[in-house]
């Protein structure tokens, strides 16, 4: 590991109330394990915490806007967005039960362990770094992860045509990498676009419109088109511009130049260069929240899939769940759903109107398969992520867990790579076997990129994560709105998270919706739709001096 890349223990982590005893979780995953966000997961029975609902905690006292304040709360899904409200409500003494279809907590944000004769390797489902502009969420993360927290330097680059460029794009560095002639063309056509848009403003509809508006046609083609098409599996003019505005709002060549020349109002805090990470993998965040929930006497029921949502008038009265012992009815006062919005709409009884069901079925997701390679080698690169744009290389990006935390590999002579393939049901990549994907990854890394030697590979396996990216196809927002309006009729049901809201939320925004849902149950009033609706680039925060503790 290089200097400046060594993760350091947290400088300020307090001893939080949630820092309960830590158990070992996340057993070795079977090869080719499938983590299905819609919960199509088979497994053995499992249960955390005490059984039953009436556990002596606070009882319902009042109703506010359909929510029974302090009433028994039933949460669907034990990813971060479901566990966060469970954790907050448990601390407030509210009886809560979490129902999780999989045999583990953490959802997409979990960490998998793999035992080998060399020792234990750990893998996130694609590296998960913690970053947020919200101090309350940072405090929660620190409280939960407590003494396991590390600070990690971030060095991410784009690999294209055998060259490297910093990511997120730094204009000077990008122009240098493409050479003076292309750089001059890039700046000239960016200028032309700016003038054109000023004289004849055009609505930004597609992802292509949004990138061209921010960076001009040349830089778009070089640095955004190829990678975006790998991720989404669609031409950029068929993907809504919403994704770009959500992710890179306020970023453009213009703002980069302005920020360099004109002093901005308030200090700019970059969340790009350093991030927080739990020492033993991102999944520890969920596991520790789960420990907090069960330690406070509430219940997390694994292998318990929600199959039906029973509605009477404008209230949800109960759920039917499927367990290893058969079907069961689970009743509650308040309900929070982090299961896919598309699934939720289809399992309500009596059934939703046909238009709502059609809208739910029209929404699609993109899948991810990770190839996890274990290596007898000290380090492959010093990158946090390497984004691979070349079309002849089938995967989209990889990260090296050891660069995030030394505890992710058995010792200093070992490293590993998590290689991400973006795909859809029925396409070439999804149809490849584990063996083919591992071999294909090794071939690219050895022959096309020269990063590793074949005899350094100890082994490899895949994890399939279906439906991991909600796809913003053109016009998707009308379908989402129709489904959300229907769900909103059920006044004691709140939707949270990434799938839960069909919104491209990272963990911070996912748990923010969960946190606000919990606060609503505690008697406050928050509009969950306002989460992740910022007008500013989500990795930049402008604050008045002094700078907050968020980025230290
Ligand atoms: C490749 C990749 C990289 C990422 N990198 C980052 C990153 O660097 N930083 C970051 O902050 N975020 C990152 N994310 C996003 C992060 O994973 C999500 O924001 C987060 O996991 C969302 O949490 P959630 O609880 O909403 O959903 P999930 O984590 O998907 O949890 C949903 C849970 O619901 C369960 N469920 C589904 N159906 C049912 C049912 N019928 N009954 C009961 N349970 C059910 C699922 O099994 C699952 O456990 C990344 C995501 C991916 C795919």
């Amino acid at each position: 590991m290089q200097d400046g890349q060594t993760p350091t223990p947290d400088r300020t982590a307090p001893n939080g109330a949630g820092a309960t005893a830590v158990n070992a979780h996340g057993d070795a995953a079977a090869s080719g394990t499938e983590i299905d966000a819609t919960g199509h997961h088979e497994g053995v029975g499992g249960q955390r915490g005490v059984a039953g609902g009436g556990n002596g905690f606070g009882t319902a006292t009042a109703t506010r806007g359909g929510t029974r304040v302090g009433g028994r709360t039933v949460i669907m899904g034990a990813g971060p967005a479901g566990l966060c409200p469970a954790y907050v409500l448990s601390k407030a003494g509210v009886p809560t039960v979490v129902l999780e279809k999989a045999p583990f907590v953490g959802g997409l944000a979990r960490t998998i362990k793999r035992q080998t004769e060399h020792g234990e390797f750990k893998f996130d489902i694609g590296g998960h770094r913690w970053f947020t502009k919200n101090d309350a969420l940072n405090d929660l993360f620190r409280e939960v992860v407590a003494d396991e927290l590390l600070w990690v330097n971030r060095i991410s680059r784009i690999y294209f045509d055998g060259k490297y460029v910093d990511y997120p794009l730094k204009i000077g560095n990008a122009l240098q990498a493409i050479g003076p002639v292309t750089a001059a063309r890039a700046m000239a056509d960016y200028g032309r676009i700016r003038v054109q848009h000023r004289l004849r403003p055009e609505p930004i509809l597609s992802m292509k419109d949004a990138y061209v508006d921010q960076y001009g046609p040349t830089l778009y083609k070089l640095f955004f088109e190829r990678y975006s098409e790998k991720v989404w599996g669609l031409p950029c003019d068929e993907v809504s511009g919403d994704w770009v505005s959500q992710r890179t709002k306020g970023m453009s060549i213009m703002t980069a130049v302005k920020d360099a020349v004109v002093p901005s109002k308030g200090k700019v805090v970059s969340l790009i260069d350093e991030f927080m990470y739990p020492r033993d993998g991102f999944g520890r965040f969920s596991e520790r929240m789960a420990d907090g929930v069960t330690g406070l006497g509430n219940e997390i029921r694994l292998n318990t899939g929600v199959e039906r949502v029973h509605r009477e008038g404008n209230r949800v009265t109960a759920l039917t769940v499927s367990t290893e012992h058969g079907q069961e009815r689970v009743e509650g006062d308040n309900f929070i759903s982090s299961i896919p919005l598309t699934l939720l709409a289809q399992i309500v009884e009596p059934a939703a109107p046909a238009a709502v069901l059609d809208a739910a079925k029209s929404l699609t997701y993109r899948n991810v398969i990770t190839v996890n390679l274990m290596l007898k080698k000290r380090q492959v690169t010093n990158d946090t992520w390497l984004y691979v744009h070349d079309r002849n290389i089938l995967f989209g990006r990889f990260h090296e867990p050891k660069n995030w935390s030394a505890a992710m590999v058995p010792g200093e002579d070992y490293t590993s790579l998590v290689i991400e393939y973006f795909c859809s049901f029925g396409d070439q990549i999804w149809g490849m076997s584990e063996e083919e994907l591992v071999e294909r990854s090794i071939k690219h890394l050895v022959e096309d990129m020269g990063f590793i030697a074949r005899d350094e590979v100890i082994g490899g396996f895949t994890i399939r994560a279906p439906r991991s990216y909600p796809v913003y196809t053109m016009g998707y927002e009308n379908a989402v709105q129709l489904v959300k309006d229907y769900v909103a009729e059920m006044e004691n049901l709140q939707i949270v998270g990434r799938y839960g809201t069909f919104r491209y939320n990272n963990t911070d925004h996912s748990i923010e919706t969960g946190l606000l849902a919990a606060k609503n149950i505690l008697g406050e009033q928050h509009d969950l739709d306002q989460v992740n609706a910022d007008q500013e680039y989500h990795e930049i925060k402008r604050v008045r001096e002094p700078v907050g503790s968020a980025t230290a």
Side-chain angles (χ1 to χ4, degrees):
M1 221 179 279
Q2 298 200 349
D3 283 343
Q5 183 65 5
T6 310
T8 50
D10 180 39
R11 295 183 284 262
T12 51
N15 286 329
T20 53
V22 178
N23 301 329
H25 306 278
D27 300 326
S31 284
T33 298
E34 185 161 310
I35 296 173
D36 188 337
T38 58
H40 304 290
H41 202 294
E42 303 302 322
V44 291
Q47 183 164 321
R48 303 171 60 115
V50 297
N55 53 11
F57 283 142
T59 48
T61 52
T63 300
R64 170 173 279 179
T67 297
R68 201 149 292 161
V69 177
R72 174 176 153 85
T73 300
V74 180
I75 299 176
M76 302 173 233
L83 288 170
C84 172
Y87 176 77
V88 172
L89 291 172
S90 298
K91 288 207 318 180
V94 176
T96 303
V97 59
V98 184
L99 309 169
E100 168 56 54
K101 178 137 188 167
F104 44 76
V105 299
L108 276 177
R110 89 180 188 102
T111 300
I112 286 143
K113 293 177 182 165
R114 188 78 169 191
Q115 269 302 339
T116 70
E117 61 185 271
H118 305 269
E120 186 178 76
F121 289 84
K122 303 185 190 84
F123 302 94
D124 291 353
I125 318 291
H128 277 60
R129 89 191 148 107
W130 171 260
F131 68 102
T132 180
K133 295 197 285 189
N134 182 321
D135 290 337
L137 298 181
N138 267 329
D139 289 345
L140 181 81
F141 188 80
R142 287 164 186 274
E143 174 185 306
V144 172
V145 179
D147 56 349
E148 295 184 27
L149 201 64
L150 302 177
W151 280 93
V152 184
N153 288 343
R154 178 182 177 196
I155 305 169
S156 291
R157 291 181 300 170
I158 292 172
Y159 177 89
F160 78 109
D161 305 333
K163 298 190 212 89
Y164 294 93
V165 177
D166 291 340
Y167 182 82
L169 221 54
K170 291 181 185 136
I171 294 308
N173 167 265
L175 294 179
Q176 205 174 11
I178 60 182
V181 176
T182 315
R185 195 174 76 230
M187 293 314 286
D189 69 17
Y190 174 70
R192 183 172 49 77
I193 285 288
R194 291 260 51 83
V195 173
Q196 255 178 30
H197 286 185
R198 180 152 295 197
L199 295 177
R200 265 183 298 117
E202 280 174 20
I204 290 178
L205 300 176
S206 70
M207 176 175 266
K208 179 178 176 184
D209 297 341
Y211 277 135
V212 169
D213 181 64
Q214 288 179 342
Y215 294 98
T218 302
L219 292 183
Y220 154 71
K221 273 218 155 300
L222 279 168
F223 297 120
F224 296 100
E225 185 184 46
R226 288 185 287 180
Y227 188 72
S228 302
E229 291 184 359
K230 269 191 186 180
V231 174
W232 300 109
L234 289 170
C236 291
D237 52 9
E238 289 179 25
V239 181
S240 163
D242 281 7
W243 189 84
V244 182
S245 34
Q246 226 181 294
R247 302 281 295 183
T248 63
K249 191 107 192 172
M251 293 293 276
S252 70
I253 294 187
M254 199 66 102
T255 51
V257 173
K258 250 199 235 160
D259 271 347
V261 178
V262 186
S264 55
K265 284 183 206 140
K267 182 167 173 52
V268 173
V269 177
S270 169
L271 309 182
I272 293 169
D273 300 331
E274 209 181 19
F275 61 90
M276 285 190 249
Y277 188 70
R279 187 185 56 227
D280 292 306
F282 199 82
R284 292 295 297 145
F285 178 45
S286 291
E287 290 171 0
R288 291 190 67 129
M289 281 195 286
D291 287 343
V293 172
T294 54
L296 287 162
N298 273 327
E299 189 188 4
I300 296 172
R301 296 182 61 184
L302 302 177
N303 298 302
T304 304
V306 178
E307 300 216 317
R308 283 201 296 283
V309 175
H310 301 283
R311 171 183 182 173
E312 278 177 27
N314 283 344
R315 292 189 74 77
V316 173
T317 50
L319 308 175
T320 294
V321 297
S322 150
T323 73
E324 57 177 340
H325 308 296
Q327 287 198 330
E328 234 178 83
R329 198 175 154 91
V330 179
E331 297 186 348
D333 299 311
N334 305 309
F335 294 82
I336 296 176
S337 170
S338 70
I339 68 174
L341 181 63
T342 48
L343 173 69
L344 179 72
Q346 294 179 64
I347 60 175
V348 176
E349 281 190 359
V356 172
L357 295 176
D358 288 346
K361 287 178 195 156
S362 74
L363 295 168
T364 56
Y365 298 88
R366 192 87 166 130
N367 306 337
V368 170
I369 304 176
T370 57
V371 171
N372 305 283
L373 281 189
M374 295 162 282
L375 302 165
K376 182 92 198 304
K377 184 182 179 80
R378 285 184 159 239
Q379 190 178 41
V380 178
T381 80
N382 65 353
D383 292 292
T384 308
W385 275 290
L386 193 70
Y387 294 82
V388 180
H389 286 207
D390 297 22
R391 286 199 171 100
N392 65 315
I393 296 175
L394 213 51
F395 56 76
R397 67 174 181 180
F398 67 76
H399 84 280
E400 192 167 353
K402 186 184 185 179
N403 292 348
W404 300 42
S405 164
M408 300 298 280
V409 292
E412 58 182 23
D413 291 336
Y414 298 92
T415 192
S416 59
L417 294 177
V418 178
I419 300 154
E420 292 173 45
Y421 288 83
F422 306 106
C423 48
S424 297
F425 295 117
D427 73 9
Q428 180 211 351
I429 296 176
W430 189 255
M432 289 169 77
S433 67
E434 175 169 65
E435 215 176 19
E436 286 169 331
L437 283 160
V438 170
E439 174 50 31
R440 182 69 175 244
S441 306
I442 295 171
K443 192 167 174 295
H444 283 318
L445 290 162
V446 174
E447 294 172 18
D448 300 322
M449 305 177 88
F451 279 152
I452 60 169
R454 224 164 235 287
D455 61 6
E456 290 168 339
V457 180
I458 295 169
F461 65 97
T462 57
I463 298 286
R464 287 174 188 256
R467 304 175 185 86
S468 39
Y469 286 75
V471 182
Y472 289 3
T473 40
M474 300 290 277
Y476 82 102
E477 66 276 14
N478 299 327
V480 172
Q481 200 51 53
L482 196 62
V483 177
K484 282 170 92 174
D485 287 347
Y486 165 72
V487 170
E489 290 172 7
M490 291 168 268
E491 49 191 29
N492 61 339
L493 169 64
Q494 301 184 78
I495 53 172
V496 298
R498 179 162 163 130
Y499 309 97
T501 60
F502 201 86
R503 194 165 174 80
Y504 192 93
N505 284 333
N506 270 331
T507 310
D508 60 330
H509 289 125
S510 298
I511 69 161
E512 187 175 357
T513 51
L515 179 65
L516 297 184
K519 287 185 172 181
N520 285 342
I521 289 169
L522 294 173
E524 297 182 16
Q525 274 181 305
H526 298 278
D527 178 0
L528 274 53
D529 259 350
Q530 292 311 308
V531 172
N532 199 2
D534 270 12
Q535 293 305 304
E536 196 175 48
Y537 179 44
H538 72 159
E539 295 197 36
I540 295 287
K541 176 177 177 179
R542 286 174 210 279
V543 295
R544 292 183 192 286
E545 300 278 14
V547 180
S549 60
T551 52

